[in-house]
Amino acid sequence: MIDGATISKAFRALHASNRLGFGPRPGDLDAINRSGAERWIEQQLHPEKIAESPELDRQIASLSTLRMTPVELVENYGPPQGMVRKPDPEARKEARQEARIIVEQAVQARLYRAIAGTRRLKEVMTTFWFNHFNVFAGKGLCHLWVGSYEEQAIRPHTLGRFRDLLGATAKHPAMLFYLDNWQNTAPGSPGSRGKFGGINENYVRELMELHTLGVNGGYTQQDVIALAHILTGWGIVRRGNQARGDGFWRRRRPLDDAGEVRTTGGFFFDPSRHDFSDKILLGWRIPSAGISEGEEALDLLARHPSTARHLSYQLAQYFVADDPPPSLVERMSARYLASDGDIREVLGTMFTSAEFWDQRYYASKFKTPYEFVISAVRASGLQVTNVRPLAGTMAGLGMPLYGCQTPDGYKNTQTAWLNPEAMMTRLSFATGLGAGRLPLDRVPNDTSDSPGPLKNGFRRISYGREGMPSARPDPTVVAATLGGVFSDRTASAVTSSPDGLRSSMILGSPDFMMR
């Protein structure tokens, strides 16, 4: 039983839908009320038991690059062989344009699932963890791997053990390349040459500051140095004996296989670049053991009390309040440590807390651009086959998918997103969506005769029924979907508007901006 719940029964379903999902679709609140919000939450904590819609499964199955390994993605969409030794700007440009399909399909998959998926919490947690372990698709070869990173490193572990998630991100080529750990090499080691010239601390700094311990997590500069040496040799798998000339795909001379580790996901441990001395990390002695040193370090970080507090704070800030109650964070931290970092257990502690159901925190979180766009489409009840107008709107609002350049990811607090210019863009989107002006139901045709510059990461497109209206959401259905209760100001504005503008007025209202 939930102790001290204060949100009235009439609003519990909407609160659960807004926090554990991206807002309700038509009929969702009735379904949640029939089962009870608490039971619905328990079901969402076990997505493997929730059937997905066949139509969504079909949409995802059509996105071929999501099924490719990082190695296959480079084989099929990577730079031409020898491109670095004999630079060819046109070949480089053409290869990158052909590889746009990878990011496009990653965007499609993310938005299809967020809009139409039944595993609501899993989609929220996929978004949360990708942001937590952010990589920027625009950095070098990361555009080849961003879809694989989300599909194969993030998504399988969203509700599992944090240690598994940490290890999967640490070894994925997208993270290795984005934060440069693929170049991290022990000075003076046999493999130290060229780009592999010495210690690179970029990844380990973010690993401790953002991914695990937190900025005040109790580590020192000496710990940063020690961890960088521990993770020397962690890199990206090579392509047999065929040189590609891109700086990592093959070394000049073959290595002895002793101590090497390769995975089908593209990770490669190179012992010739590793520092085999003993190290001290966070006061813990880590003896020389090759790749096992890194695994032991990740174990230590994942189980550290500072990591428990940092992650619990981040989760509570996302799901409860911009300034989460310390009492809740402490209980979540204790559950994290007691369960060996079981994410599902930590979430369960939060969702059954008095704080989560406290009236003070109801509709208190300002939606990010991503949450606003997705929740608006969900509330409209429209079927989506074309996500490009949605991705373009997110980019225009400063939150392009896979486009955050810094490793700290996008903020989820009101101060980061509430400003006059952004509100005008949101209102414009709500107007277009409510009036049926967005071609969400049309499959776009690529009209590019040459690669050329792209708009918001997508090829130039035209629509086969140019000028014809799309489906227009029914304002009565939209209002009912959102619970039918609005502030006096919003209710007055809606009822005084022409019927064709009422959906837009609801979706652009101050009420709808909150979750």
Side-chain angles (χ1 to χ4, degrees):
M1 295 294 292
I2 295 171
D3 182 25
T6 57
I7 295 177
S8 67
K9 184 177 180 180
F11 297 102
R12 291 167 78 83
L14 182 59
H15 182 65
S17 183
N18 279 335
R19 296 299 174 93
L20 276 76
F22 296 112
R25 287 174 64 89
D28 280 357
L29 297 188
D30 289 340
I32 295 173
N33 281 323
R34 283 195 298 271
S35 65
E38 292 84 355
R39 183 176 180 185
W40 181 81
I41 289 174
E42 181 62 24
Q43 292 170 340
Q44 289 297 317
L45 284 167
H46 298 275
E48 69 280 0
K49 298 179 181 179
I50 302 175
E52 201 53 273
S53 74
E55 174 60 20
L56 178 59
D57 287 341
R58 184 196 64 77
Q59 286 181 308
I60 300 302
S62 70
L63 306 175
S64 59
T65 62
L66 266 65
R67 298 189 296 274
M68 293 184 181
T69 67
V71 173
E72 291 171 335
L73 289 165
V74 174
E75 294 284 355
N76 285 277
Y77 296 102
Q81 293 190 24
M83 187 177 64
V84 173
R85 292 175 182 171
K86 297 180 180 180
D88 184 341
E90 288 303 314
R92 180 191 294 271
K93 182 178 180 180
E94 182 178 353
R96 194 168 183 91
Q97 295 301 329
E98 289 179 356
R100 291 281 182 178
I101 189 176
I102 299 172
V103 177
E104 287 181 12
Q105 291 193 352
V107 168
Q108 286 177 282
R110 171 79 80 83
L111 297 185
Y112 285 156
R113 284 164 164 156
I115 292 167
T118 57
R119 298 163 181 168
R120 314 285 169 72
L121 179 59
K122 183 179 179 70
E123 294 315 309
V124 167
M125 292 306 298
T126 297
T127 301
F128 176 89
W129 287 124
F130 186 98
N131 198 59
H132 184 84
F133 292 102
N134 182 60
V135 299
F136 173 45
K139 178 178 178 178
L141 297 176
C142 284
H143 69 284
L144 297 175
W145 295 316
V146 67
S148 164
Y149 180 68
E150 177 166 305
E151 197 73 12
Q152 297 159 23
I154 301 289
R155 183 169 290 277
H157 308 293
T158 53
L159 293 168
R161 290 177 65 249
F162 179 74
R163 172 62 179 86
D164 296 332
L165 177 60
L166 183 65
T169 57
K171 291 181 179 179
H172 196 280
M175 181 62 76
L176 287 161
F177 192 91
Y178 173 55
L179 291 178
D180 305 317
N181 201 63
W182 69 285
Q183 296 176 320
N184 188 18
T185 301
S189 63
S192 177
R193 62 171 61 85
K195 292 184 178 181
F196 307 98
I199 294 297
N200 190 300
E201 298 177 359
N202 290 353
Y203 172 62
V204 298
R205 287 186 183 280
E206 310 305 346
L207 174 60
M208 288 195 278
E209 178 177 330
L210 299 176
H211 300 170
T212 57
L213 305 174
V215 65
N216 296 314
Y219 64 90
T220 68
Q221 174 60 21
Q222 287 305 114
D223 292 315
V224 172
I225 295 171
L227 186 55
H229 282 261
I230 288 169
L231 293 179
T232 49
W234 285 45
I236 303 171
V237 77
R238 298 167 297 158
R239 186 176 182 253
N241 293 320
Q242 193 170 4
R244 290 191 59 89
D246 55 17
F248 73 83
W249 208 244
R250 181 182 180 272
R251 292 171 51 76
R252 291 184 178 179
R253 61 184 178 83
L255 298 170
D256 189 328
D257 285 341
E260 291 185 6
V261 176
R262 296 178 177 83
T263 72
T264 56
F267 172 78
F268 173 52
F269 174 70
D270 183 349
S272 78
R273 296 193 294 109
H274 183 66
D275 178 352
F276 280 93
S277 66
D278 294 349
K279 294 94 174 174
I280 301 295
L281 177 65
L282 300 171
W284 190 267
R285 181 177 177 272
I286 297 185
S288 174
I291 189 175
S292 297
E293 298 170 34
E295 300 291 356
E296 185 175 353
L298 294 181
D299 288 342
L300 180 61
L301 292 171
R303 291 172 175 157
H304 199 280
S306 292
T307 298
R309 285 191 295 272
H310 178 62
L311 297 180
S312 295
Y313 181 93
Q314 296 292 322
L315 288 166
Q317 184 182 68
Y318 181 86
F319 284 100
V320 179
D322 287 1
D323 185 15
S327 59
L328 175 61
V329 173
E330 286 305 312
R331 292 200 306 279
M332 292 168 64
S333 300
R335 189 65 197 139
Y336 177 97
L337 295 172
S339 65
D340 195 22
D342 189 318
I343 298 166
R344 183 183 285 110
E345 291 291 323
V346 177
L347 291 175
T349 296
M350 176 171 55
F351 296 147
T352 56
S353 70
E355 291 91 340
F356 179 76
W357 297 100
D358 194 314
Q359 181 66 37
R360 290 176 297 172
Y361 304 125
Y362 175 75
S364 64
K365 289 285 297 181
F366 188 76
K367 293 176 181 177
T368 66
Y370 181 82
E371 292 161 353
F372 166 69
V373 170
I374 296 300
S375 63
V377 176
R378 286 180 60 83
S380 74
L382 300 178
Q383 299 300 310
V384 177
T385 55
N386 172 28
V387 302
R388 297 185 180 189
L390 310 181
T393 300
M394 293 172 191
L397 286 166
M399 197 177 184
L401 274 174
Y402 313 115
C404 183
Q405 298 185 31
T406 57
D408 56 345
Y410 293 118
K411 302 295 186 292
N412 69 76
T413 56
Q414 179 169 304
T415 55
W417 301 111
L418 179 55
N419 61 75
E421 182 180 356
M423 290 306 298
M424 291 301 297
T425 302
R426 291 189 184 213
L427 292 175
S428 177
F429 173 78
T431 301
L433 180 64
R437 296 175 189 161
L438 303 182
L440 303 179
D441 59 342
R442 309 176 199 173
V443 178
N445 301 312
D446 186 353
T447 60
S448 299
D449 295 325
S450 60
L454 305 188
K455 178 69 171 176
N456 295 325
F458 293 107
R459 296 183 181 88
R460 293 190 299 273
I461 55 176
S462 66
Y463 300 94
R465 296 176 289 161
E466 193 70 50
M468 294 183 64
S470 298
R472 178 185 295 174
D474 184 327
T476 303
V477 174
V478 173
T481 297
L482 298 174
V485 180
F486 305 102
S487 67
D488 292 344
R489 182 179 180 182
T490 295
S492 176
V494 172
T495 55
S496 63
S497 298
D499 186 67
L501 288 178
R502 289 183 178 178
S503 291
S504 298
M505 294 300 292
I506 295 172
L507 299 176
S509 69
D511 303 42
F512 190 74
M513 299 300 161
M514 309 302 291
R515 64 173 178 92

